Amino acid sequence: MNRAFSRKKDKTWMHTPEALSKHYIPYNAKFLGSTEVEQPKGTEVVRDAVRKLKFARHIKKSEGQKTPKVELQISIYGVKILDPKTKEVQHNCQLHRISFCADDKTDKRIFTFICKDSESNKHLCYVFDSEKCAEEITLTIGQAFDLAYRKFLESGGKDVETRKQIAGLQKRIQELETENTELKNKVQDLENQLRRTQVHASPAGSVTPKSPSTDIFDMVPFSPISPQSSTPTRNGTQPPPVPSRSTEIKRDLFGAEPFDPFSCGAGDFPPDIQSKLDEMQEGFKMGLTLEGTVFCLDPLDSRC
């Protein structure tokens, strides 16, 4: 029995769009585990995965290990698998990476979905024991996928452009922080050089009084109105020349060109922005198949 989105016109979703877009729908379940599969979809694929994980869980139960309990949080952003007590996220499966979701019609407790791993790009099949609400969880994931896909189409790439601007700003902030650190190191070096110069220029055991008109570096205070002076300081050293200001390009306090996040070129953005967009488009294009079928023909203690 296939429940694709195009064939669900005669059915209604069980949750409001606001519940999945602004919040999430929680479910409690037992996590049998996950295993790698060769294909992103298919009844036979999940059947073999469920049989494998059921057998592994049966072995662990005979050794005294209990099936871990988890909390599922389903929203338009994905399916989160959390520890029910600590709320620590164990797995975060983005919806555009989920390609297949199914529940077992002969065992109301079992449901599974296939998700493409973000790091290894391998397809993993996740299997759960959900206390007779497997079909409801399957349909909830289907509804969340449908809403996420519609939002992606309605945004028209605006969300992606916003992420690009934020990424550009973050990159510029990082550059400014690096420049600021370099300037602090240069200022520290200048202070050390001036102190060494003062020690060598002053007689031993004497302290050279400072004129009220000089700063902490024994230099004449800078005035933006007065022209550059070549008058030596009291210790006989020439003050460092004032850097010339360019009339063609305005620069900020750190000597860098003013940053405009709306005029950045494509080279200013991290290279993975476009790949993320392509990945989302590919994932939504593949779609999500909802299916109810018989996973395992031989019972292996379904209540493990």
Side-chain angles (χ1 to χ4, degrees):
M1 177 181 179
N2 187 32
R3 294 194 299 272
F5 295 125
S6 60
R7 302 179 185 178
K8 277 193 55 59
K9 294 181 180 180
D10 57 335
K11 292 182 178 292
T12 58
W13 296 118
M14 60 183 62
H15 303 290
T16 62
E18 291 76 14
L20 288 166
S21 60
K22 297 182 180 179
H23 306 282
Y24 59 84
I25 306 298
Y27 289 99
N28 293 322
K30 293 182 180 180
F31 186 32
L32 274 66
S34 62
T35 183
E36 181 182 354
V37 293
E38 297 181 356
Q39 301 295 330
K41 297 184 179 184
T43 301
E44 294 295 331
V45 174
V46 295
R47 177 182 295 158
D48 294 339
V50 172
R51 180 185 290 111
K52 177 180 178 181
L53 291 174
K54 273 190 173 183
F55 181 78
R57 183 54 56 185
H58 183 74
I59 298 298
K60 291 182 179 180
K61 183 181 179 181
S62 65
E63 296 175 351
Q65 299 184 25
K66 295 183 178 180
T67 305
K69 296 180 179 180
V70 295
E71 177 183 335
L72 300 176
Q73 294 182 356
I74 304 174
S75 68
I76 63 173
Y77 302 104
V79 179
K80 289 185 179 181
I81 305 173
L82 303 88
D83 183 285
K85 295 182 179 180
T86 63
K87 301 300 179 181
E88 179 183 358
V89 179
Q90 299 175 354
H91 303 277
N92 187 8
C93 304
Q94 297 174 317
L95 280 183
H96 69 272
R97 291 180 171 272
I98 300 178
S99 55
F100 191 87
C101 186
D103 55 89
D104 190 346
K105 291 304 177 184
T106 62
D107 187 349
K108 300 294 184 178
R109 305 167 62 97
I110 301 298
F111 94 95
T112 180
F113 63 81
I114 298 177
C115 180
K116 187 177 182 181
D117 184 67
S118 59
E119 296 182 358
S120 63
N121 283 331
K122 297 179 179 179
H123 295 284
L124 301 179
C125 183
Y126 295 80
V127 181
F128 302 87
D129 183 332
S130 58
E131 295 292 340
K132 297 184 179 180
C133 59
E135 183 178 8
E136 180 179 344
I137 297 177
T138 301
L139 292 176
T140 301
I141 293 177
Q143 181 182 3
F145 188 95
D146 187 37
L147 291 172
Y149 181 52
R150 292 180 182 180
K151 182 179 180 181
F152 179 78
L153 295 178
E154 292 173 358
S155 66
K158 293 179 181 179
D159 292 342
V160 177
E161 291 300 325
T162 301
R163 293 192 187 99
K164 286 183 178 181
Q165 294 179 9
I166 293 175
L169 287 170
Q170 291 175 342
K171 180 181 179 181
R172 184 56 183 155
I173 290 173
Q174 184 177 3
E175 292 175 351
L176 289 175
E177 289 178 348
T178 303
E179 294 176 4
N180 189 29
T181 302
E182 294 176 353
L183 288 173
K184 286 182 178 179
N185 294 334
K186 291 181 180 179
V187 170
Q188 186 63 40
D189 293 339
L190 287 175
E191 289 181 352
N192 295 335
Q193 292 178 6
L194 288 172
R195 289 173 182 173
R196 288 195 296 266
T197 303
Q198 290 175 354
V199 170
H200 292 303
S202 302
S206 64
V207 179
T208 303
K210 292 183 178 290
S211 171
S213 61
T214 59
D215 59 15
I216 60 174
F217 301 113
D218 199 20
M219 298 171 59
V220 177
F222 171 73
S223 174
I225 302 177
S226 61
Q228 179 180 355
S229 173
S230 59
T231 304
T233 58
R234 294 178 61 86
N235 55 19
T237 60
Q238 291 288 342
V242 178
S244 60
R245 298 178 178 270
S246 173
T247 58
E248 298 179 356
I249 302 178
K250 295 182 179 180
R251 296 181 178 274
D252 58 16
L253 178 63
F254 302 101
E257 298 180 16
F259 174 66
D260 184 1
F262 299 100
S263 62
C264 294
D268 294 329
F269 302 133
D272 60 339
I273 291 292
Q274 187 61 39
S275 63
K276 292 292 184 182
L277 176 60
D278 295 339
E279 179 188 69
M280 292 180 65
Q281 291 175 335
E282 180 182 357
F284 283 125
K285 183 178 180 180
M286 178 181 292
L288 172 65
T289 301
L290 302 182
E291 190 169 289
T293 184
V294 178
F295 292 139
C296 187
L297 298 178
D298 50 333
L300 288 173
D301 188 8
S302 61
R303 298 181 179 275
C304 60

